[in-house]
Amino acid sequence: MRPNLSLKRSDNSTKHHWCYHISMIDWSTCPAVEQHLGRVSGAWVFAGTRVPISTLFENLEDDASLHEFIEWFPGVTTEQAKAVFEHAARSALEAA
């Protein structure tokens, strides 16, 4: 399986739906990610990389495992991915 590198999905509206929720999260309080307006179109990326966090969710949605994602994107650590999951979960609970 090849990693999904796209930032936007147009082939399935339900897959694009999660992207809206990710953009609604305040990622500025997550230490595992960073944003630079002049890099990767200002997308939130894993700290120290150019890998957008949306890429993690897209690949998992396409049935990739976390292990595979880390293998495909060696700049991203397991700890960073877990921090992103935890931050997203906390944000979802706060919004509920």
Side-chain angles (χ1 to χ4, degrees):
M1 176 182 262
R2 199 166 42 110
N4 183 343
L5 300 176
S6 67
L7 295 178
K8 296 203 183 225
R9 310 253 338 177
S10 60
D11 58 331
N12 187 329
S13 62
T14 58
K15 287 188 176 187
H16 184 70
H17 188 256
W18 64 262
C19 188
Y20 172 77
H21 292 291
I22 287 176
S23 67
M24 299 298 290
I25 295 174
D26 179 8
W27 291 104
S28 67
T29 59
C30 180
V33 301
E34 61 189 13
Q35 180 186 43
H36 299 282
L37 296 180
R39 222 177 355 162
V40 194
S41 301
W44 285 98
V45 298
F46 287 95
T49 76
R50 296 178 65 86
V51 180
I53 58 173
S54 60
T55 305
L56 171 63
F57 293 98
E58 289 177 357
N59 279 277
L60 293 176
E61 190 170 61
D62 288 339
D63 295 324
S65 69
L66 178 58
H67 177 77
E68 288 172 319
F69 180 81
I70 299 301
E71 184 178 296
W72 294 331
F73 300 96
V76 179
T77 67
T78 301
E79 292 77 20
Q80 285 176 309
K82 288 180 179 179
V84 165
F85 291 143
E86 290 169 4
H87 185 80
R90 274 193 313 273
S91 296
L93 289 174
E94 290 171 3

